[in-house]
Amino acid sequence: MRTTTGWGPGQHAAGQYMTTPADDLPSAHTATPESFAVPGFDAVVRLVTHSLGVPVVSLVLNSGAAYWFADGNELPAHGPRALHPLLLQAARSLAPHVVLDAFDDERLRGTAVPLAAGPGPMRFFASEPVCTLTGQHIGALCVMGPLPRESLGESEQTALRDAASLIGAGVVLRSYLGRTDPTTQLPHRYAFFDDLRTHLHEGVPHAWVIAIDVAPVQRFNAFVRAMGHVYADELMRTVAARVTQQMPAHTRLYQVGATRFAAVLPDHHMLDDTSWLDDLVARLRWPFDCLGIPLTIQPGVGLLKINADELRGGDPLRLVMNASHAAQQSPRGWAVYNRMQDEQQRQEFLLVTELAAALNEGAELDLHYQPRVDLDSGRCIALEALARWHHPTLGSIPPAHFVALAERAGLMHSFTQWVMERGVSQLAVWRHAGYDIKLSLNVSSTDLGADLVGRLRSVAEQHKVGLDALELEFTESTLMEHSAVTRRHLTAIRDLGAGIAIDDFGTGYSNLAALRQMPATSLKIDQSFVRGMGSSPHDEAIVRSVAELARNMGFRVVVEGVETSNIYESVLAMACDEAQGFHIARPLPSSDVPAWLAGHQGMPSRRAVRWGQ
Ligand code: C2E
Ligand code: MG
Ligand code: MG
């Protein structure tokens, strides 16, 4: 018996291979023989044909691509045009299949497609699923013969099973070597680099690299957790097929990450007209049919222009990923790599790492405290805690900057925890020393989870500070963003006795109905209006009317950004309860607070004005 196989042109003189694309799969999606060589395959085929006495062996991948081997040289060069449904079913099933006589089998009646394009009709069929060493199901090893059988013996079944596991191991080996992805059968990252290098050394001045991100990693992981790997693999296969269809002709697609494809565009004029990129994004935004479930992805297409010098020592995939990642968030869905943006992101990433370390160690972070003065008495009744980060090389980083960074990086939970613990423990010391003051703490929208209430209560208990001595400041936009859920948490905070302030009021888009329903205790008029009062009668009118409105709605009114004595005098005459600003005091380091409190003579007040009259 002579076995002929088809792994790679020229490898076997009588080699016959074919890739049968199933009807629903684009032909570009099937692997070329050269990209799908499995080490040791020859030996496996020999083993199977000998042990089972069959002339036709086929490896059918669950992508629908099939590889055929025949004893003798009678297979037509391109095999059957369509894959028999039984083969596809076997490839996509985790169970072995046996058909002793196809002529007698109900399931096969009425199918015009032959089992194999072999020498005459095939009547016997058996298959065994092929899984990689990591347990990934990639298809089935199928054997076929022209004669019907009475049974399939145990030793034959074992031989088929062994052969299937050897193939699975070979596929793993092959992909370990970095050439082919076992799921999509696309060439891997190393092949991409090799080809890019070759392309750039063929004399072209530069190349355009394209990367396609399927979905943000977290979203994809959530999908895998919900649906399992079978769906995830199928999704990647169908996406790969659609990307391939949309790519310019003669483009070889590579799988360069779990959810990422890349290619080198064949012609560097490809970007003279970018309408094909809009089409590509539009097509990728259409739902995919993933084993009967319609799914949409969040594609991002990135492009990078690169020359041979830049390739040396550079990491083109990192750069182009930067663009595809940015594109995922953009309405257009594709973006060209932008060096400045990349630099900014790198800085941001480094800063986030350093902020996380600073939070752990606590040495570079500090709180400053800015006094708030009661306008009736002129006395300081509260302090606002404001975070400070002194970076060892960059110096002091504005809180508006690093707070936003912490929000984006998911560090807010531990940051706010740090602020609460540091602020409340400090307040306990001052109150113990006899200063009757309250403390307000800034919290961000990401803090508004269920446990904020519990965290606040336990910090207050730990330091024996009454909750009525604490106030949380939320920006107006935070409060308006998620009104229903927010209101529940805020009500719980208020029930504990703590205050709630609406910070930076006037910068968001509150509607009065929503505002009325907010269980807040005070409203802080944004400093941009307050600072403008000296020069703009409009700003003065805004502060006056907002103060009146807020007070009529039952809020305590605080004006921030009081920078001059004139502004201070003006707000004294308005419906305002408290003032805060550089004119009264700048934010102070904790060590300066007791001296400031002790030496503070009190600001001009309504009471004093009345008594003076
Ligand atoms: P904010 O809560 O509205 O704090 C008031 C800001 O205005 C502070 O800026 C303060 O230094 C500044 N300020 C006070 N009076 C005046 C004045 O008269 N004139 C001028 N020009 N500015 C004045 P800072 O400390 O830079 O904080 C900026 C923002 O960063 C804060 O605005 C707050 O939104 C946020 N932030 C600060 N610390 C924290 C924190 O611990 N947690 C959270 N979530 N956010 C914080
Ligand atoms: Mg504030
Ligand atoms: Mg503010």
Side-chain angles (χ1 to χ4, degrees):
M1 183 183 281
R2 186 163 54 88
T3 308
T4 63
T5 71
W7 297 124
Q11 281 180 23
H12 308 279
Q16 290 206 28
Y17 62 83
M18 59 145 299
T19 57
T20 308
D23 284 347
D24 57 334
L25 292 157
S27 55
H29 187 49
T30 54
T32 60
E34 169 250 350
S35 71
F36 198 74
V38 177
F41 200 89
D42 269 3
V44 176
V45 169
R46 252 193 316 272
L47 178 87
V48 173
T49 48
H50 279 291
S51 327
L52 282 101
V54 283
V56 178
V57 180
S58 177
L59 172 62
V60 187
L61 303 177
N62 44 23
S63 65
Y67 297 83
W68 294 88
F69 316 90
D71 171 30
N73 214 0
E74 289 114 352
L75 268 184
H78 297 289
R81 227 169 265 118
L83 201 63
H84 191 286
L86 175 66
L87 271 76
L88 198 58
Q89 195 189 337
R92 291 183 177 170
S93 141
L94 273 167
H97 284 55
V98 179
V99 174
L100 295 173
D101 186 355
F103 288 3
D104 258 7
D105 198 297
E106 271 298 312
R107 292 169 292 177
L108 305 182
R109 290 236 172 88
T111 7
V113 184
L115 265 180
M122 294 286 140
R123 293 181 67 172
F124 164 71
F125 172 89
S127 74
E128 184 66 36
V130 174
C131 295
T132 63
L133 288 178
T134 51
Q136 193 175 8
H137 176 219
I138 59 162
L141 182 66
C142 306
V143 294
M144 280 148 271
L147 300 175
R149 298 213 176 175
E150 291 286 304
S151 64
L152 183 65
E154 205 159 297
S155 64
E156 291 173 314
Q157 285 176 31
T158 311
L160 189 57
R161 207 173 307 130
D162 288 351
S165 6
L166 284 172
I167 290 184
V171 169
V172 165
L173 199 60
R174 180 81 184 134
S175 48
Y176 273 164
L177 294 176
R179 310 306 302 186
T180 324
D181 184 89
T183 304
T184 56
Q185 298 306 320
L186 290 173
H188 254 193
R189 204 170 62 218
Y190 299 125
F192 167 80
F193 281 120
D194 280 353
D195 291 358
L196 177 60
R197 235 171 268 127
T198 316
H199 188 72
L200 283 172
H201 289 134
E202 274 167 0
V204 291
H206 59 255
W208 277 99
V209 170
I210 183 169
I212 298 105
D213 265 326
V214 172
V217 176
Q218 280 170 347
R219 196 174 146 187
F220 190 78
N221 287 346
F223 168 69
V224 177
R225 277 198 304 276
M227 305 296 294
H229 281 96
V230 173
Y231 283 86
D233 289 351
E234 181 63 15
L235 179 66
M236 287 308 290
R237 274 193 290 269
T238 46
V239 176
R242 204 179 282 178
V243 171
T244 306
Q245 277 175 335
Q246 292 302 116
M247 279 290 168
H250 312 297
T251 310
R252 191 175 188 205
L253 194 64
Y254 304 80
Q255 176 142 14
V256 293
T259 55
R260 183 172 300 121
F261 305 107
V264 183
L265 294 180
D267 171 1
H268 60 269
H269 294 297
M270 283 311 303
L271 288 200
D272 294 352
D273 173 9
T274 56
S275 57
W276 69 275
L277 286 165
D278 297 325
D279 289 347
L280 170 66
V281 171
R283 288 296 305 268
L284 291 177
R285 284 179 177 162
W286 286 6
F288 286 86
D289 178 2
C290 184
L291 300 174
I293 296 181
L295 284 173
T296 49
I297 60 170
Q298 191 184 333
V301 176
L303 293 137
L304 167 77
K305 189 177 177 181
I306 189 164
N307 61 31
D309 286 343
E310 288 161 339
L311 182 61
R312 224 165 287 126
D315 183 353
L317 281 182
R318 187 193 76 73
L319 305 184
V320 73
M321 259 165 61
N322 214 277
S324 56
H325 183 73
Q328 256 172 347
Q329 325 293 331
S330 79
R332 194 170 63 168
W334 62 268
V336 177
Y337 170 74
N338 175 328
R339 199 167 300 276
M340 251 171 58
Q341 198 178 30
D342 180 22
E343 202 42 51
Q344 212 176 324
Q345 277 172 6
R346 271 167 85 102
Q347 295 286 0
E348 184 164 298
F349 178 76
L350 290 177
L351 218 52
V352 165
T353 332
E354 288 168 338
L355 180 58
L359 269 171
N360 255 343
E361 290 151 20
E364 296 164 14
L365 290 173
D366 199 5
L367 285 183
H368 280 194
Y369 300 86
Q370 189 176 32
R372 277 165 52 170
V373 159
D374 173 50
L375 291 172
D376 272 344
S377 65
R379 296 265 150 216
C380 171
I381 52 164
L383 299 164
E384 176 175 3
L386 293 160
R388 297 289 177 259
W389 181 16
H390 192 82
H391 188 279
T393 53
L394 299 173
S396 143
I397 299 178
H401 182 64
F402 69 79
V403 167
L405 203 66
E407 274 174 359
R408 283 200 294 275
L411 290 175
M412 221 44 212
H413 190 273
S414 37
F415 177 70
T416 300
Q417 189 65 30
W418 179 86
V419 170
M420 290 199 300
E421 272 165 16
R422 169 67 72 100
V424 174
S425 64
Q426 183 61 76
L427 181 71
V429 173
W430 290 329
R431 284 176 72 91
H432 195 67
Y435 296 107
D436 183 18
I437 40 164
K438 298 184 175 187
L439 182 73
S440 60
L441 300 159
N442 290 284
V443 270
S444 97
S445 60
T446 38
D447 290 314
L448 261 176
D451 68 338
L452 181 64
V453 184
R455 287 158 74 201
L456 183 69
R457 188 172 41 202
S458 85
V459 172
E461 275 168 9
Q462 189 190 341
H463 297 285
K464 301 193 173 52
V465 169
L467 276 142
D468 56 352
L470 299 175
E471 182 186 64
L472 297 185
E473 296 191 7
F474 295 90
T475 59
E476 179 193 5
S477 32
T478 297
L479 293 187
M480 296 304 150
E481 250 166 47
H482 354 243
S483 9
V485 191
T486 305
R487 227 174 297 136
R488 258 207 333 271
H489 295 310
L490 296 183
T491 310
I493 294 170
R494 261 195 77 168
D495 290 347
L496 292 179
I500 292 162
I502 306 172
D503 203 355
D504 302 344
F505 186 79
T507 54
Y509 300 95
S510 309
N511 65 61
L512 289 177
L515 191 62
R516 192 160 47 95
Q517 288 174 357
M518 275 301 153
T521 39
S522 48
L523 182 144
K524 298 181 84 173
I525 301 176
D526 189 63
Q527 45 179 288
S528 56
F529 305 109
V530 181
R531 288 209 308 267
M533 277 171 65
S535 52
S536 153
H538 288 306
D539 282 347
E540 169 138 11
I542 290 173
V543 175
R544 184 185 303 280
S545 33
V546 169
E548 234 151 72
L549 180 79
R551 181 167 296 159
N552 287 337
M553 289 173 104
F555 298 119
R556 196 173 157 78
V557 180
V558 184
V559 268
E560 24 178 26
V562 176
E563 286 186 351
T564 64
S565 56
N566 282 346
I567 296 178
Y568 186 87
E569 297 294 337
S570 305
V571 298
L572 205 56
M574 293 179 187
C576 303
D577 300 288
E578 275 178 55
Q580 176 181 355
F582 292 173
H583 174 62
I584 302 159
R586 289 188 172 255
L588 305 162
S590 57
S591 52
D592 291 358
V593 171
W596 187 89
L597 287 174
H600 181 60
Q601 301 299 312
M603 298 292 292
S605 68
R606 289 201 190 100
R607 221 168 280 157
V609 172
R610 274 199 294 274
W611 287 340
Q613 275 169 357

